[in-house]
Amino acid sequence: MSRVARKWRPPLSLVLGGTLAAVFALPLLGVGYFRLAGGVLGWAETSWLIGWIAFIATAALGYFLWRLVLRPVRALTEYAKAEGEAEAPQHFGTPEFSQLGAAVIEMTTALRGREAVVRSYADHVTHEMKSPLTAIRGAVELLEGDLPETERKKLIARIGDSAARMDELLAAQRALAKAAEPLPKGQTAVLGGFSEISGLAVEVTTVENVPIGPEAFRLVMDHLLSNAKAHGASQVTVSVEENQLVIADNGVGISDGNRDRVFDPFFTTRRDAGGTGMGLAIVRRILQTQGAEIALGHGKGAVFVISW
């Protein structure tokens, strides 16, 4: 996630105050010069000199106002109006514009995230619904005929399973949409910031605070630990390394062919076991609202790297 660069810039009050002071002082300087030295150069030469001084001073003030006020506003406006992924402005002219820029960037990121949720619903849910809907439609057609009682019960069970699958998909989509809602930010101690899972040993090698709110951190860790358990892991190692939180397990890992798709909504290798493929998508969405990102690392099992 792009962040606004933190550099010293003059406050907006100083910029506006300096501009007004210059506008007020230039005529006084001109009058004072006429009074004290007007007879040295003559009226024409003195008028030209003061005119050039006023021109240079006005050009300098115009440049500073363009650089400190107009350019940041235009860059922020273009970023907010841009469609799709756009590079966020990094520098702003004054602290006030830096705060405004950070707020607009955060709001724009949240709105684009919500748009992505809606788009993912159209792209994935409709596709995932085809299989259970086809099964239900076929079972209904068969039920309209004369069937033995055993076959009828099998078809009714198939309808129930398909309906349950559709309900799981819709619940997962609602969870993804909810994950885009910002949770309170803050600091969380890595040790003890998550739930225990039976049969899964968690070793925390570095006890430090991470810049993720307690509720968001618990949800992320619960998803990752449950995912590790579901893929055969018996041990998970958690460590903090230079603005990164590393979660590594000893499970089966992630194949090279699936590494680019694990964070996509509805992608799962456990479809037969009822997996919806939304866990990692939800994790990524939650972390984005906290100003963090998640990516895959390398190791024997699955390795996830959360950076901020």
Side-chain angles (χ1 to χ4, degrees):
M1 180 176 293
S2 178
R3 299 178 183 272
V4 176
R6 299 295 182 183
K7 291 185 178 181
W8 184 89
R9 291 292 186 272
L12 185 59
S13 58
L14 180 60
V15 174
L16 296 178
T19 302
L20 293 175
V23 172
F24 178 76
L26 281 175
L28 296 179
L29 291 175
V31 172
Y33 185 84
F34 267 115
R35 293 284 296 176
L36 298 176
V40 177
L41 297 177
W43 288 98
E45 292 82 357
T46 303
S47 298
W48 276 103
L49 178 61
I50 294 177
W52 276 109
I53 293 175
F55 174 78
I56 295 172
T58 302
L61 288 174
Y63 170 77
F64 283 116
L65 289 176
W66 169 81
R67 182 177 178 84
L68 299 176
V69 178
L70 183 59
R71 188 176 68 169
V73 170
R74 284 183 174 176
L76 193 59
T77 302
E78 291 175 0
Y79 170 75
K81 294 171 62 177
E83 297 182 358
E85 295 294 331
E87 184 177 355
Q90 297 294 316
H91 303 282
F92 291 91
T94 68
E96 292 83 359
F97 282 121
S98 295
Q99 295 174 3
L100 175 63
V104 171
I105 291 172
E106 183 176 355
M107 180 182 64
T108 303
T109 301
L111 291 176
R112 288 173 178 168
R114 292 173 184 269
E115 180 185 1
V117 170
V118 176
R119 188 166 55 249
S120 70
Y121 183 89
D123 293 341
H124 298 284
V125 174
T126 53
H127 174 74
E128 292 293 329
M129 289 293 186
K130 288 181 180 179
S131 295
L133 282 175
T134 301
I136 292 174
R137 186 179 295 110
V140 170
E141 291 177 355
L142 292 174
L143 286 173
E144 292 177 349
D146 294 330
L147 293 173
E149 186 63 24
T150 55
E151 293 296 326
R152 185 178 296 274
K153 289 182 178 180
K154 289 181 180 179
L155 291 175
I156 293 175
R158 183 183 301 175
I159 292 175
D161 293 340
S162 299
R165 177 62 179 173
M166 293 171 65
D167 187 61
E168 290 175 355
L169 293 172
L170 291 174
Q173 180 61 34
R174 289 193 297 269
L176 179 62
K178 186 177 180 180
E181 299 177 1
L183 294 170
K185 298 182 179 181
Q187 298 282 329
T188 305
V190 175
L191 184 61
F194 44 86
S195 304
E196 295 184 1
I197 297 179
S198 177
L200 186 66
V202 180
E203 179 185 3
V204 179
T205 61
T206 308
V207 182
E208 292 186 14
N209 290 342
V210 295
I212 301 174
E215 185 178 357
F217 182 78
R218 179 184 59 79
L219 290 172
V220 167
M221 291 300 300
D222 287 353
H223 273 294
L224 293 179
L225 294 180
S226 299
N227 190 68
K229 177 67 176 179
H231 287 83
S234 60
Q235 184 174 3
V236 175
T237 302
V238 182
S239 60
V240 179
E241 306 172 1
E242 296 183 356
N243 297 330
Q244 290 183 337
L245 178 65
V246 181
I247 302 98
D249 65 47
N250 63 346
V252 297
I254 300 172
S255 65
D256 293 338
N258 292 334
R259 290 181 66 87
D260 294 335
R261 304 175 62 192
V262 292
F263 295 107
D264 292 344
F266 298 103
F267 173 76
T268 179
T269 58
R270 300 178 55 254
R271 193 175 305 277
D272 295 338
T276 61
M278 298 296 284
L280 292 178
I282 290 172
V283 166
R284 182 173 63 176
R285 190 75 66 200
I286 292 174
L287 289 172
Q288 286 175 344
T289 65
Q290 296 287 310
E293 295 288 346
I294 185 170
L296 286 178
H298 295 278
K300 294 182 179 180
V303 180
F304 295 94
V305 180
I306 300 173
S307 56
W308 54 84

